[in-house]
């Protein structure tokens, strides 16, 4: 038995959870299945296309596109960690996930989503060096440097995920095993804890807040210098091209950090599960679908690479 406040719970060693997901009858579930499947397929095709095009086209073998390829890999990765299971659950009556499966899903999802936050900051730094110090760019962003930057992003994401996973799954859960969500995430899991989860909430808000604020500062400072440099340029065409490139990145940054802040870095995030589900769909599915469109439709180099790849395929 375990006592929490004035309530007493029967603590059982849970081996399975039930992902409640979204409510509604069979028609609602079928509609959500069709919508999520369509969005997921667009996300998979878009991100795979970006990875293939950047890998095969020698014109895109530069730090910026190296980072973009990793961004597509991360978007593809964390959406694929979640949505095959979520789609299956929408058409299933059981919706069961094992404790180990839940921890594994959360670990990889947390690793990739945090890594993407660090990556967006690294991409902003890359643009800062390219625009503000173009003569030093080949040396400052040589292959060993941007490879180590990318490795640092993955290490930071993995470290945060290890801490979050360890703190969350070391909790004792009560007899209820129903997770009020369609994925294993910290806020809904904390609601099932028998003991006081204040420390876990502080860890979540503290780590996520530190990462979000720190990386946003890097982005804002980098683009502050970039904006001043671009405005000083005499060529209108050059300004337009650079603002277009930087605008794509700022759009992706705004969408990503805005949703993460709403979900993890504000008081009350744990309480509003219905809001959390909608926000989660946005940053785990809509953003991975939009990113390839944002970076390809507004990027002449990517469109030229797609055209060359298409011509090469036609010729063969």
């Amino acid at each position: 038995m375990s006592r929490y406040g004035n309530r007493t719970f029967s603590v059982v060693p849970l081996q399975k959870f039930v992902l409640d997901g979204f409510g509604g009858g069979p028609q609602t579930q079928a509609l959500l299945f069709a919508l999520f499947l369509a969005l997921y397929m667009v996300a998979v095709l878009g991100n795979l296309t970006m990875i293939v095009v950047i890998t095969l086209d020698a014109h895109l073998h530069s730090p910026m596109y190296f980072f973009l390829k990793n961004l597509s890999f991360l978007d593809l990765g964390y959406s694929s960690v979640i949505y095959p299971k979520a789609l299956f659950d929408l058409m299933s009556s059981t919706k069961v996930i094992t404790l180990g499966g839940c921890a594994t899903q959360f670990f990889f999802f947390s690793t990739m989503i945090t890594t993407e936050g660090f990556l967006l900051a690294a991409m902003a730094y890359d643009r800062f060096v390219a625009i503000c110090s173009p003569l030093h760019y080949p040396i400052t962003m040589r292959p060993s440097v941007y490879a180590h930057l990318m490795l640092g992003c993955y290490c930071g994401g993995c470290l945060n995920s290890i801490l979050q996973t360890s703190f969350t799954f070391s909790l004792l859960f009560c007899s209820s095993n129903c997770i009020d969500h369609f994925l294993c995430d910290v806020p809904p899991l904390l609601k099932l804890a028998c003991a006081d989860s204040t420390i876990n909430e502080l860890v979540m808000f503290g780590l996520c807040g530190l990462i979000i604020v720190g990386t946003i500062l890097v982005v804002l400072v980098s683009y502050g210098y970039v904006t001043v440099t671009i405005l000083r340029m005499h060529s209108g065409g050059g300004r337009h091209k650079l603002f277009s490139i930087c605008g794509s990145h700022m759009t992706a940054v705004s969408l990503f950090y805005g949703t993460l802040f709403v979900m993890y870095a504000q008081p009350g995030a744990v309480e509003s599960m219905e809001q959390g589900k909608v926000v989660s769909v946005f940053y785990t599915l809509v953003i991975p679908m939009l990113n390839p469109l944002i970076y390809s439709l507004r990027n002449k180099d990517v469109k030229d690479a797609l055209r060359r790849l298409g011509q090469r395929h036609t010729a063969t």
Side-chain angles (χ1 to χ4, degrees):
M1 303 289 286
S2 177
R3 183 172 296 276
Y4 177 42
N6 295 320
R7 295 172 293 170
T8 301
F9 299 102
S10 176
V11 181
V12 293
L14 294 177
Q15 296 301 316
K16 293 181 180 180
F17 290 106
V18 175
L19 293 167
D20 281 346
F22 293 91
Q27 289 185 333
T28 302
Q29 298 290 305
L31 180 62
L32 289 173
F33 177 87
L35 176 62
F36 288 173
L37 179 61
L39 294 176
Y40 178 62
M41 293 305 298
V42 173
V44 169
L45 291 174
N47 285 292
L48 279 178
T49 300
M50 289 291 287
I51 292 170
V52 170
V53 168
I54 293 172
T55 301
L56 295 181
D57 196 292
H59 296 85
L60 301 182
H61 291 177
S62 66
M64 182 174 77
Y65 294 105
F66 171 79
F67 290 137
L68 272 180
K69 183 166 73 170
N70 277 275
L71 179 67
S72 290
F73 170 75
L74 292 168
D75 283 342
L76 179 63
Y78 68 73
S79 60
S80 297
V81 165
I82 295 168
Y83 282 93
K85 170 63 176 169
L87 289 167
F88 176 81
D89 286 346
L90 283 169
M91 304 305 291
S92 171
S93 59
T94 56
K95 307 185 180 188
V96 171
I97 187 170
T98 64
L99 178 64
C102 189
T104 301
Q105 184 191 65
F106 173 73
F107 174 80
F108 284 106
F109 161 66
S110 178
T111 297
M112 292 181 182
I113 204 80
T114 309
T115 301
E116 183 161 325
F118 288 122
L119 174 57
L120 291 172
M123 291 171 69
Y125 173 72
D126 172 69
R127 291 300 83 204
F128 160 71
V129 177
I131 295 172
C132 299
S133 303
L135 297 179
H136 296 95
Y137 183 73
I139 298 174
T140 305
M141 293 300 292
R142 59 190 181 275
S144 62
V145 172
Y146 63 74
H148 280 93
L149 269 177
M150 194 66 244
L151 179 61
C153 292
Y154 280 106
C155 289
C158 189
L159 178 60
N160 174 67
S161 184
I162 289 172
L163 292 172
Q164 297 278 12
T165 305
S166 300
F167 270 88
T168 301
F169 288 90
S170 64
L171 288 169
L172 288 175
F173 298 103
C174 301
S175 55
S176 173
N177 64 344
C178 292
I179 299 175
D180 188 16
H181 216 299
F182 62 91
L183 74 150
C184 290
D185 201 1
V186 175
L189 284 168
L190 292 184
K191 294 179 75 68
L192 302 182
C194 299
D196 188 354
S197 61
T198 302
I199 293 177
N200 296 75
E201 291 183 34
L202 289 175
V203 169
M204 182 184 74
F205 295 141
L207 285 175
C208 293
L210 181 64
I211 291 169
I212 291 172
V213 171
T215 50
I216 284 179
L217 281 176
V218 173
V219 172
L220 291 178
V221 171
S222 297
Y223 275 103
Y225 281 104
V226 165
T227 301
V228 172
T229 302
I230 293 176
L231 291 176
R232 288 176 177 173
M233 295 177 65
H234 299 293
S235 170
R239 283 200 301 268
H240 180 269
K241 179 181 179 180
L242 292 176
F243 270 129
S244 177
I245 293 172
C246 297
S248 299
H249 185 236
M250 286 305 297
T251 301
V253 166
S254 300
L255 291 172
F256 181 81
Y257 284 115
T259 51
L260 283 190
F261 182 83
V262 169
M263 189 66 192
Y264 298 109
Q266 61 162 340
V270 176
E271 301 299 327
S272 181
M273 287 297 105
E274 291 306 315
Q275 174 190 346
K277 292 176 190 178
V278 176
V279 175
S280 295
V281 170
F282 191 81
Y283 78 81
T284 60
L285 186 58
V286 177
I287 288 179
M289 179 200 70
L290 289 177
N291 276 345
L293 301 176
I294 291 171
Y295 284 107
S296 62
L297 294 179
R298 299 186 62 180
N299 191 309
K300 184 177 181 298
D301 293 337
V302 174
K303 288 188 282 189
D304 290 343
L306 283 168
R307 185 167 54 252
R308 285 191 294 269
L309 191 62
Q311 292 171 347
R312 192 186 313 170
H313 177 74
T314 304
T316 55

